[in-house]
PDB file of all heavy atoms in Angstrom:
ATOM      1  N   ALA Y   1       0.861  -1.196  -0.004  1.00 61.00           N
ATOM      2  CA  ALA Y   1       0.013  -0.018   0.039  1.00 61.00           C
ATOM      3  C   ALA Y   1       0.848   1.309  -0.055  1.00 61.00           C
ATOM      4  O   ALA Y   1       0.507   2.222  -0.662  1.00 61.00           O
ATOM      5  CB  ALA Y   1      -0.945   0.002   1.205  1.00 61.00           C
ATOM      6  N   GLN Y   2       1.971   1.233   0.700  1.00 61.00           N
ATOM      7  CA  GLN Y   2       2.834   2.355   0.701  1.00 61.00           C
ATOM      8  C   GLN Y   2       3.529   2.540  -0.603  1.00 61.00           C
ATOM      9  O   GLN Y   2       3.672   3.734  -1.074  1.00 61.00           O
ATOM     10  CB  GLN Y   2       3.920   2.155   1.826  1.00 61.00           C
ATOM     11  CG  GLN Y   2       4.813   3.394   2.066  1.00 61.00           C
ATOM     12  CD  GLN Y   2       6.053   3.359   1.377  1.00 61.00           C
ATOM     13  OE1 GLN Y   2       6.595   2.312   0.957  1.00 61.00           O
ATOM     14  NE2 GLN Y   2       6.591   4.554   1.010  1.00 61.00           N
ATOM     15  N   GLN Y   3       3.902   1.491  -1.280  1.00 65.00           N
ATOM     16  CA  GLN Y   3       4.510   1.597  -2.632  1.00 65.00           C
ATOM     17  C   GLN Y   3       3.546   2.140  -3.684  1.00 65.00           C
ATOM     18  O   GLN Y   3       3.899   2.882  -4.584  1.00 65.00           O
ATOM     19  CB  GLN Y   3       5.043   0.252  -3.066  1.00 65.00           C
ATOM     20  CG  GLN Y   3       6.221  -0.315  -2.244  1.00 65.00           C
ATOM     21  CD  GLN Y   3       6.596  -1.722  -2.609  1.00 65.00           C
ATOM     22  OE1 GLN Y   3       6.017  -2.319  -3.520  1.00 65.00           O
ATOM     23  NE2 GLN Y   3       7.473  -2.300  -1.803  1.00 65.00           N
ATOM     24  N   ARG Y   4       2.269   1.894  -3.583  1.00 63.00           N
ATOM     25  CA  ARG Y   4       1.280   2.375  -4.496  1.00 63.00           C
ATOM     26  C   ARG Y   4       0.671   3.673  -4.043  1.00 63.00           C
ATOM     27  O   ARG Y   4      -0.252   4.193  -4.684  1.00 63.00           O
ATOM     28  CB  ARG Y   4       0.158   1.251  -4.573  1.00 63.00           C
ATOM     29  CG  ARG Y   4       0.634  -0.094  -5.045  1.00 63.00           C
ATOM     30  CD  ARG Y   4      -0.513  -1.118  -5.053  1.00 63.00           C
ATOM     31  NE  ARG Y   4      -1.515  -0.816  -5.987  1.00 63.00           N
ATOM     32  CZ  ARG Y   4      -2.503  -1.608  -6.229  1.00 63.00           C
ATOM     33  NH1 ARG Y   4      -2.670  -2.748  -5.568  1.00 63.00           N
ATOM     34  NH2 ARG Y   4      -3.432  -1.257  -7.169  1.00 63.00           N
ATOM     35  N   GLY Y   5       1.248   4.318  -3.001  1.00 65.00           N
ATOM     36  CA  GLY Y   5       0.808   5.638  -2.673  1.00 65.00           C
ATOM     37  C   GLY Y   5      -0.442   5.691  -1.845  1.00 65.00           C
ATOM     38  O   GLY Y   5      -0.948   6.761  -1.559  1.00 65.00           O
ATOM     39  N   VAL Y   6      -0.998   4.524  -1.395  1.00 60.00           N
ATOM     40  CA  VAL Y   6      -2.232   4.586  -0.592  1.00 60.00           C
ATOM     41  C   VAL Y   6      -1.903   4.945   0.836  1.00 60.00           C
ATOM     42  O   VAL Y   6      -2.723   5.669   1.478  1.00 60.00           O
ATOM     43  CB  VAL Y   6      -2.886   3.141  -0.651  1.00 60.00           C
ATOM     44  CG1 VAL Y   6      -4.113   3.174   0.202  1.00 60.00           C
ATOM     45  CG2 VAL Y   6      -3.266   2.751  -2.054  1.00 60.00           C
ATOM     46  N   VAL Y   7      -0.741   4.485   1.332  1.00 61.00           N
ATOM     47  CA  VAL Y   7      -0.323   4.816   2.708  1.00 61.00           C
ATOM     48  C   VAL Y   7       0.978   5.612   2.630  1.00 61.00           C
ATOM     49  O   VAL Y   7       1.929   5.230   1.908  1.00 61.00           O
ATOM     50  CB  VAL Y   7      -0.155   3.505   3.494  1.00 61.00           C
ATOM     51  CG1 VAL Y   7       0.409   3.838   4.921  1.00 61.00           C
ATOM     52  CG2 VAL Y   7      -1.478   2.766   3.587  1.00 61.00           C
ATOM     53  N   ALA Y   8       1.049   6.701   3.354  1.00 67.00           N
ATOM     54  CA  ALA Y   8       2.209   7.504   3.481  1.00 67.00           C
ATOM     55  C   ALA Y   8       3.342   6.750   4.298  1.00 67.00           C
ATOM     56  O   ALA Y   8       3.012   5.842   5.045  1.00 67.00           O
ATOM     57  CB  ALA Y   8       1.963   8.887   4.089  1.00 67.00           C
ATOM     58  N   ASP Y   9       4.542   7.207   4.105  1.00 66.00           N
ATOM     59  CA  ASP Y   9       5.691   6.581   4.728  1.00 66.00           C
ATOM     60  C   ASP Y   9       5.556   6.621   6.265  1.00 66.00           C
ATOM     61  O   ASP Y   9       5.790   5.650   6.960  1.00 66.00           O
ATOM     62  CB  ASP Y   9       6.978   7.158   4.267  1.00 66.00           C
ATOM     63  CG  ASP Y   9       8.190   6.381   4.822  1.00 66.00           C
ATOM     64  OD1 ASP Y   9       8.327   5.195   4.469  1.00 66.00           O
ATOM     65  OD2 ASP Y   9       8.994   7.017   5.516  1.00 66.00           O
ATOM     66  N   ASP Y  10       5.179   7.851   6.764  1.00 66.00           N
ATOM     67  CA  ASP Y  10       5.004   7.892   8.241  1.00 66.00           C
ATOM     68  C   ASP Y  10       3.897   7.034   8.784  1.00 66.00           C
ATOM     69  O   ASP Y  10       3.942   6.513   9.863  1.00 66.00           O
ATOM     70  CB  ASP Y  10       4.963   9.379   8.713  1.00 66.00           C
ATOM     71  CG  ASP Y  10       3.761  10.082   7.947  1.00 66.00           C
ATOM     72  OD1 ASP Y  10       3.255   9.457   6.970  1.00 66.00           O
ATOM     73  OD2 ASP Y  10       3.365  11.114   8.420  1.00 66.00           O
ATOM     74  N   GLU Y  11       2.812   6.943   7.976  1.00 66.00           N
ATOM     75  CA  GLU Y  11       1.705   6.106   8.381  1.00 66.00           C
ATOM     76  C   GLU Y  11       2.090   4.632   8.351  1.00 66.00           C
ATOM     77  O   GLU Y  11       1.699   3.842   9.242  1.00 66.00           O
ATOM     78  CB  GLU Y  11       0.535   6.280   7.430  1.00 66.00           C
ATOM     79  CG  GLU Y  11      -0.081   7.694   7.534  1.00 66.00           C
ATOM     80  CD  GLU Y  11      -1.170   7.929   6.443  1.00 66.00           C
ATOM     81  OE1 GLU Y  11      -1.080   7.218   5.382  1.00 66.00           O
ATOM     82  OE2 GLU Y  11      -1.984   8.787   6.629  1.00 66.00           O
ATOM     83  N   ARG Y  12       2.900   4.222   7.358  1.00 63.00           N
ATOM     84  CA  ARG Y  12       3.397   2.865   7.358  1.00 63.00           C
ATOM     85  C   ARG Y  12       4.234   2.488   8.578  1.00 63.00           C
ATOM     86  O   ARG Y  12       4.032   1.427   9.198  1.00 63.00           O
ATOM     87  CB  ARG Y  12       4.197   2.629   6.070  1.00 63.00           C
ATOM     88  CG  ARG Y  12       4.783   1.211   5.954  1.00 63.00           C
ATOM     89  CD  ARG Y  12       5.788   1.047   4.795  1.00 63.00           C
ATOM     90  NE  ARG Y  12       7.006   1.876   5.075  1.00 63.00           N
ATOM     91  CZ  ARG Y  12       7.959   1.512   5.824  1.00 63.00           C
ATOM     92  NH1 ARG Y  12       7.977   0.296   6.425  1.00 63.00           N
ATOM     93  NH2 ARG Y  12       9.036   2.277   6.046  1.00 63.00           N
ATOM     94  N   ARG Y  13       5.103   3.435   9.011  1.00 69.00           N
ATOM     95  CA  ARG Y  13       5.876   3.243  10.201  1.00 69.00           C
ATOM     96  C   ARG Y  13       5.095   3.131  11.412  1.00 69.00           C
ATOM     97  O   ARG Y  13       5.265   2.318  12.329  1.00 69.00           O
ATOM     98  CB  ARG Y  13       6.939   4.362  10.425  1.00 69.00           C
ATOM     99  CG  ARG Y  13       8.089   4.252   9.356  1.00 69.00           C
ATOM    100  CD  ARG Y  13       9.271   5.183   9.827  1.00 69.00           C
ATOM    101  NE  ARG Y  13       8.806   6.622   9.863  1.00 69.00           N
ATOM    102  CZ  ARG Y  13       8.993   7.435   8.813  1.00 69.00           C
ATOM    103  NH1 ARG Y  13       9.515   7.040   7.720  1.00 69.00           N
ATOM    104  NH2 ARG Y  13       8.586   8.727   8.960  1.00 69.00           N
ATOM    105  N   MET Y  14       3.978   3.939  11.499  1.00 68.00           N
ATOM    106  CA  MET Y  14       3.120   3.844  12.670  1.00 68.00           C
ATOM    107  C   MET Y  14       2.383   2.469  12.717  1.00 68.00           C
ATOM    108  O   MET Y  14       2.273   1.921  13.755  1.00 68.00           O
ATOM    109  CB  MET Y  14       2.099   5.018  12.551  1.00 68.00           C
ATOM    110  CG  MET Y  14       1.256   5.165  13.806  1.00 68.00           C
ATOM    111  SD  MET Y  14       0.005   6.530  13.602  1.00 68.00           S
ATOM    112  CE  MET Y  14       1.035   7.854  13.251  1.00 68.00           C
ATOM    113  N   ILE Y  15       1.919   2.030  11.512  1.00 68.00           N
ATOM    114  CA  ILE Y  15       1.257   0.703  11.496  1.00 68.00           C
ATOM    115  C   ILE Y  15       2.182  -0.381  11.879  1.00 68.00           C
ATOM    116  O   ILE Y  15       1.846  -1.284  12.660  1.00 68.00           O
ATOM    117  CB  ILE Y  15       0.645   0.459  10.108  1.00 68.00           C
ATOM    118  CG1 ILE Y  15      -0.421   1.418   9.802  1.00 68.00           C
ATOM    119  CG2 ILE Y  15       0.092  -0.972  10.025  1.00 68.00           C
ATOM    120  CD1 ILE Y  15      -1.044   1.367   8.367  1.00 68.00           C
ATOM    121  N   GLN Y  16       3.467  -0.317  11.402  1.00 66.00           N
ATOM    122  CA  GLN Y  16       4.451  -1.323  11.820  1.00 66.00           C
ATOM    123  C   GLN Y  16       4.731  -1.258  13.340  1.00 66.00           C
ATOM    124  O   GLN Y  16       4.970  -2.316  13.919  1.00 66.00           O
ATOM    125  CB  GLN Y  16       5.787  -1.111  11.032  1.00 66.00           C
ATOM    126  CG  GLN Y  16       5.598  -1.211   9.552  1.00 66.00           C
ATOM    127  CD  GLN Y  16       5.523  -2.657   9.044  1.00 66.00           C
ATOM    128  OE1 GLN Y  16       5.372  -3.534   9.872  1.00 66.00           O
ATOM    129  NE2 GLN Y  16       5.604  -2.918   7.730  1.00 66.00           N
ATOM    130  N   SER Y  17       4.667  -0.070  13.877  1.00 69.00           N
ATOM    131  CA  SER Y  17       4.897   0.061  15.323  1.00 69.00           C
ATOM    132  C   SER Y  17       3.751  -0.603  16.109  1.00 69.00           C
ATOM    133  O   SER Y  17       3.981  -1.237  17.213  1.00 69.00           O
ATOM    134  CB  SER Y  17       4.982   1.498  15.727  1.00 69.00           C
ATOM    135  OG  SER Y  17       6.121   2.083  15.091  1.00 69.00           O
ATOM    136  N   VAL Y  18       2.586  -0.542  15.591  1.00 69.00           N
ATOM    137  CA  VAL Y  18       1.417  -1.208  16.204  1.00 69.00           C
ATOM    138  C   VAL Y  18       1.637  -2.720  16.222  1.00 69.00           C
ATOM    139  O   VAL Y  18       1.363  -3.411  17.169  1.00 69.00           O
ATOM    140  CB  VAL Y  18       0.119  -0.797  15.571  1.00 69.00           C
ATOM    141  CG1 VAL Y  18      -1.041  -1.652  16.104  1.00 69.00           C
ATOM    142  CG2 VAL Y  18      -0.194   0.693  15.736  1.00 69.00           C
ATOM    143  N   PHE Y  19       2.142  -3.236  15.029  1.00 65.00           N
ATOM    144  CA  PHE Y  19       2.404  -4.708  14.984  1.00 65.00           C
ATOM    145  C   PHE Y  19       3.426  -5.116  16.035  1.00 65.00           C
ATOM    146  O   PHE Y  19       3.385  -6.227  16.592  1.00 65.00           O
ATOM    147  CB  PHE Y  19       2.873  -5.044  13.539  1.00 65.00           C
ATOM    148  CG  PHE Y  19       1.859  -4.898  12.530  1.00 65.00           C
ATOM    149  CD1 PHE Y  19       2.262  -4.661  11.209  1.00 65.00           C
ATOM    150  CD2 PHE Y  19       0.537  -5.104  12.759  1.00 65.00           C
ATOM    151  CE1 PHE Y  19       1.328  -4.554  10.170  1.00 65.00           C
ATOM    152  CE2 PHE Y  19      -0.436  -4.979  11.792  1.00 65.00           C
ATOM    153  CZ  PHE Y  19      -0.022  -4.671  10.532  1.00 65.00           C
ATOM    154  N   GLU Y  20       4.414  -4.215  16.325  1.00 68.00           N
ATOM    155  CA  GLU Y  20       5.488  -4.612  17.200  1.00 68.00           C
ATOM    156  C   GLU Y  20       5.241  -4.443  18.645  1.00 68.00           C
ATOM    157  O   GLU Y  20       6.023  -4.776  19.544  1.00 68.00           O
ATOM    158  CB  GLU Y  20       6.727  -3.758  16.816  1.00 68.00           C
ATOM    159  CG  GLU Y  20       7.346  -4.087  15.429  1.00 68.00           C
ATOM    160  CD  GLU Y  20       8.403  -3.165  14.912  1.00 68.00           C
ATOM    161  OE1 GLU Y  20       8.691  -2.172  15.686  1.00 68.00           O
ATOM    162  OE2 GLU Y  20       8.893  -3.306  13.839  1.00 68.00           O
ATOM    163  N   LEU Y  21       4.033  -3.872  18.989  1.00 71.00           N
ATOM    164  CA  LEU Y  21       3.704  -3.604  20.367  1.00 71.00           C
ATOM    165  C   LEU Y  21       3.702  -4.889  21.165  1.00 71.00           C
ATOM    166  O   LEU Y  21       4.111  -4.884  22.325  1.00 71.00           O
ATOM    167  CB  LEU Y  21       2.368  -2.900  20.525  1.00 71.00           C
ATOM    168  CG  LEU Y  21       2.341  -1.413  20.285  1.00 71.00           C
ATOM    169  CD1 LEU Y  21       0.932  -0.823  20.552  1.00 71.00           C
ATOM    170  CD2 LEU Y  21       3.309  -0.662  21.205  1.00 71.00           C
ATOM    171  N   GLY Y  22       3.193  -5.934  20.587  1.00 68.00           N
ATOM    172  CA  GLY Y  22       3.090  -7.276  21.258  1.00 68.00           C
ATOM    173  C   GLY Y  22       4.455  -7.869  21.609  1.00 68.00           C
ATOM    174  O   GLY Y  22       4.535  -8.692  22.466  1.00 68.00           O
ATOM    175  N   ASP Y  23       5.499  -7.464  20.855  1.00 71.00           N
ATOM    176  CA  ASP Y  23       6.853  -7.963  21.059  1.00 71.00           C
ATOM    177  C   ASP Y  23       7.677  -7.077  21.885  1.00 71.00           C
ATOM    178  O   ASP Y  23       8.882  -7.356  22.160  1.00 71.00           O
ATOM    179  CB  ASP Y  23       7.456  -8.190  19.677  1.00 71.00           C
ATOM    180  CG  ASP Y  23       6.698  -9.181  18.846  1.00 71.00           C
ATOM    181  OD1 ASP Y  23       6.083 -10.170  19.372  1.00 71.00           O
ATOM    182  OD2 ASP Y  23       6.739  -9.077  17.508  1.00 71.00           O
ATOM    183  N   THR Y  24       7.216  -5.921  22.298  1.00 80.00           N
ATOM    184  CA  THR Y  24       7.885  -5.028  23.100  1.00 80.00           C
ATOM    185  C   THR Y  24       7.536  -4.990  24.548  1.00 80.00           C
ATOM    186  O   THR Y  24       6.354  -4.662  24.868  1.00 80.00           O
ATOM    187  CB  THR Y  24       7.750  -3.593  22.574  1.00 80.00           C
ATOM    188  OG1 THR Y  24       8.073  -3.521  21.148  1.00 80.00           O
ATOM    189  CG2 THR Y  24       8.632  -2.557  23.259  1.00 80.00           C
ATOM    190  N   PRO Y  25       8.392  -5.384  25.476  1.00 85.00           N
ATOM    191  CA  PRO Y  25       8.047  -5.314  26.894  1.00 85.00           C
ATOM    192  C   PRO Y  25       8.074  -3.889  27.428  1.00 85.00           C
ATOM    193  O   PRO Y  25       8.699  -3.020  26.886  1.00 85.00           O
ATOM    194  CB  PRO Y  25       9.135  -6.180  27.595  1.00 85.00           C
ATOM    195  CG  PRO Y  25      10.342  -6.050  26.673  1.00 85.00           C
ATOM    196  CD  PRO Y  25       9.809  -5.901  25.300  1.00 85.00           C
ATOM    197  N   ALA Y  26       7.319  -3.756  28.522  1.00 86.00           N
ATOM    198  CA  ALA Y  26       7.109  -2.414  29.130  1.00 86.00           C
ATOM    199  C   ALA Y  26       8.446  -1.864  29.567  1.00 86.00           C
ATOM    200  O   ALA Y  26       8.631  -0.555  29.595  1.00 86.00           O
ATOM    201  CB  ALA Y  26       6.154  -2.454  30.272  1.00 86.00           C
ATOM    202  N   ARG Y  27       9.401  -2.639  30.001  1.00 85.00           N
ATOM    203  CA  ARG Y  27      10.732  -2.057  30.482  1.00 85.00           C
ATOM    204  C   ARG Y  27      11.469  -1.339  29.481  1.00 85.00           C
ATOM    205  O   ARG Y  27      12.361  -0.569  29.805  1.00 85.00           O
ATOM    206  CB  ARG Y  27      11.525  -3.225  31.074  1.00 85.00           C
ATOM    207  CG  ARG Y  27      11.864  -4.333  30.153  1.00 85.00           C
ATOM    208  CD  ARG Y  27      12.748  -5.362  30.750  1.00 85.00           C
ATOM    209  NE  ARG Y  27      12.979  -6.585  29.982  1.00 85.00           N
ATOM    210  CZ  ARG Y  27      12.234  -7.606  30.171  1.00 85.00           C
ATOM    211  NH1 ARG Y  27      11.312  -7.682  31.078  1.00 85.00           N
ATOM    212  NH2 ARG Y  27      12.462  -8.629  29.364  1.00 85.00           N
ATOM    213  N   GLU Y  28      11.180  -1.533  28.152  1.00 84.00           N
ATOM    214  CA  GLU Y  28      11.997  -0.899  27.119  1.00 84.00           C
ATOM    215  C   GLU Y  28      11.536   0.597  26.899  1.00 84.00           C
ATOM    216  O   GLU Y  28      12.241   1.347  26.380  1.00 84.00           O
ATOM    217  CB  GLU Y  28      11.819  -1.648  25.799  1.00 84.00           C
ATOM    218  CG  GLU Y  28      12.474  -3.018  25.729  1.00 84.00           C
ATOM    219  CD  GLU Y  28      12.605  -3.612  24.430  1.00 84.00           C
ATOM    220  OE1 GLU Y  28      12.222  -2.893  23.392  1.00 84.00           O
ATOM    221  OE2 GLU Y  28      12.955  -4.783  24.245  1.00 84.00           O
ATOM    222  N   VAL Y  29      10.362   1.001  27.416  1.00 84.00           N
ATOM    223  CA  VAL Y  29       9.879   2.323  27.286  1.00 84.00           C
ATOM    224  C   VAL Y  29       9.693   2.982  28.622  1.00 84.00           C
ATOM    225  O   VAL Y  29       9.266   4.138  28.687  1.00 84.00           O
ATOM    226  CB  VAL Y  29       8.594   2.360  26.506  1.00 84.00           C
ATOM    227  CG1 VAL Y  29       8.753   1.764  25.104  1.00 84.00           C
ATOM    228  CG2 VAL Y  29       7.452   1.683  27.224  1.00 84.00           C
ATOM    229  N   MET Y  30      10.057   2.309  29.722  1.00 85.00           N
ATOM    230  CA  MET Y  30       9.780   2.907  31.033  1.00 85.00           C
ATOM    231  C   MET Y  30      10.779   4.070  31.434  1.00 85.00           C
ATOM    232  O   MET Y  30      11.820   4.113  30.845  1.00 85.00           O
ATOM    233  CB  MET Y  30       9.906   1.766  32.098  1.00 85.00           C
ATOM    234  CG  MET Y  30      11.291   1.335  32.334  1.00 85.00           C
ATOM    235  SD  MET Y  30      11.425   0.089  33.658  1.00 85.00           S
ATOM    236  CE  MET Y  30      13.198  -0.227  33.717  1.00 85.00           C
ATOM    237  N   VAL Y  31      10.286   4.851  32.337  1.00 83.00           N
ATOM    238  CA  VAL Y  31      11.248   5.750  33.032  1.00 83.00           C
ATOM    239  C   VAL Y  31      11.961   4.972  34.062  1.00 83.00           C
ATOM    240  O   VAL Y  31      11.292   4.437  35.003  1.00 83.00           O
ATOM    241  CB  VAL Y  31      10.403   6.971  33.693  1.00 83.00           C
ATOM    242  CG1 VAL Y  31      11.401   7.856  34.438  1.00 83.00           C
ATOM    243  CG2 VAL Y  31       9.735   7.689  32.591  1.00 83.00           C
ATOM    244  N   PRO Y  32      13.292   4.770  34.012  1.00 83.00           N
ATOM    245  CA  PRO Y  32      13.923   3.862  34.968  1.00 83.00           C
ATOM    246  C   PRO Y  32      13.875   4.450  36.344  1.00 83.00           C
ATOM    247  O   PRO Y  32      13.600   5.605  36.594  1.00 83.00           O
ATOM    248  CB  PRO Y  32      15.419   3.903  34.413  1.00 83.00           C
ATOM    249  CG  PRO Y  32      15.516   5.062  33.586  1.00 83.00           C
ATOM    250  CD  PRO Y  32      14.156   5.356  33.020  1.00 83.00           C
ATOM    251  N   ARG Y  33      14.063   3.553  37.332  1.00 81.00           N
ATOM    252  CA  ARG Y  33      13.986   3.852  38.738  1.00 81.00           C
ATOM    253  C   ARG Y  33      14.877   5.009  39.099  1.00 81.00           C
ATOM    254  O   ARG Y  33      14.474   5.899  39.967  1.00 81.00           O
ATOM    255  CB  ARG Y  33      14.372   2.624  39.525  1.00 81.00           C
ATOM    256  CG  ARG Y  33      14.556   2.774  41.014  1.00 81.00           C
ATOM    257  CD  ARG Y  33      15.166   1.543  41.584  1.00 81.00           C
ATOM    258  NE  ARG Y  33      15.495   1.607  43.018  1.00 81.00           N
ATOM    259  CZ  ARG Y  33      15.036   0.820  43.930  1.00 81.00           C
ATOM    260  NH1 ARG Y  33      14.297  -0.210  43.566  1.00 81.00           N
ATOM    261  NH2 ARG Y  33      15.329   0.954  45.197  1.00 81.00           N
ATOM    262  N   THR Y  34      16.103   5.140  38.519  1.00 74.00           N
ATOM    263  CA  THR Y  34      16.957   6.159  38.838  1.00 74.00           C
ATOM    264  C   THR Y  34      16.514   7.586  38.356  1.00 74.00           C
ATOM    265  O   THR Y  34      17.062   8.548  38.853  1.00 74.00           O
ATOM    266  CB  THR Y  34      18.350   5.903  38.230  1.00 74.00           C
ATOM    267  OG1 THR Y  34      18.250   5.645  36.811  1.00 74.00           O
ATOM    268  CG2 THR Y  34      19.014   4.617  38.806  1.00 74.00           C
ATOM    269  N   GLU Y  35      15.603   7.646  37.476  1.00 77.00           N
ATOM    270  CA  GLU Y  35      15.049   8.867  36.957  1.00 77.00           C
ATOM    271  C   GLU Y  35      13.619   9.154  37.492  1.00 77.00           C
ATOM    272  O   GLU Y  35      13.054  10.219  37.097  1.00 77.00           O
ATOM    273  CB  GLU Y  35      15.087   8.950  35.477  1.00 77.00           C
ATOM    274  CG  GLU Y  35      16.484   8.809  34.856  1.00 77.00           C
ATOM    275  CD  GLU Y  35      16.434   8.847  33.336  1.00 77.00           C
ATOM    276  OE1 GLU Y  35      15.412   9.213  32.802  1.00 77.00           O
ATOM    277  OE2 GLU Y  35      17.512   8.518  32.730  1.00 77.00           O
ATOM    278  N   MET Y  36      13.092   8.338  38.357  1.00 82.00           N
ATOM    279  CA  MET Y  36      11.798   8.569  38.924  1.00 82.00           C
ATOM    280  C   MET Y  36      11.807   9.706  39.882  1.00 82.00           C
ATOM    281  O   MET Y  36      12.706   9.918  40.695  1.00 82.00           O
ATOM    282  CB  MET Y  36      11.356   7.351  39.619  1.00 82.00           C
ATOM    283  CG  MET Y  36      10.781   6.223  38.726  1.00 82.00           C
ATOM    284  SD  MET Y  36      10.302   4.706  39.638  1.00 82.00           S
ATOM    285  CE  MET Y  36       9.323   5.351  40.969  1.00 82.00           C
TER     286      MET Y  36
END
């Protein structure tokens, strides 16, 4: 869809990020204890 111009490049990255949410644990985006 991105190649055919239906989906913009930033929209494609956003959709891919949604796919990867299930493979990303919460600790990878957390504010660490030392910065709380």
Side-chain angles (χ1 to χ4, degrees):
Q2 189 266 333
Q3 294 172 6
R4 300 176 66 178
V6 180
V7 176
D9 187 60
D10 55 346
E11 294 173 336
R12 181 189 63 82
R13 288 195 296 267
M14 189 181 302
I15 296 173
Q16 298 285 9
S17 298
V18 173
F19 291 152
E20 296 171 358
L21 280 184
D23 300 326
T24 306
R27 58 176 170 267
E28 292 193 8
V29 301
M30 71 178 181
V31 177
R33 171 190 176 124
T34 55
E35 298 182 11
M36 283 176 48

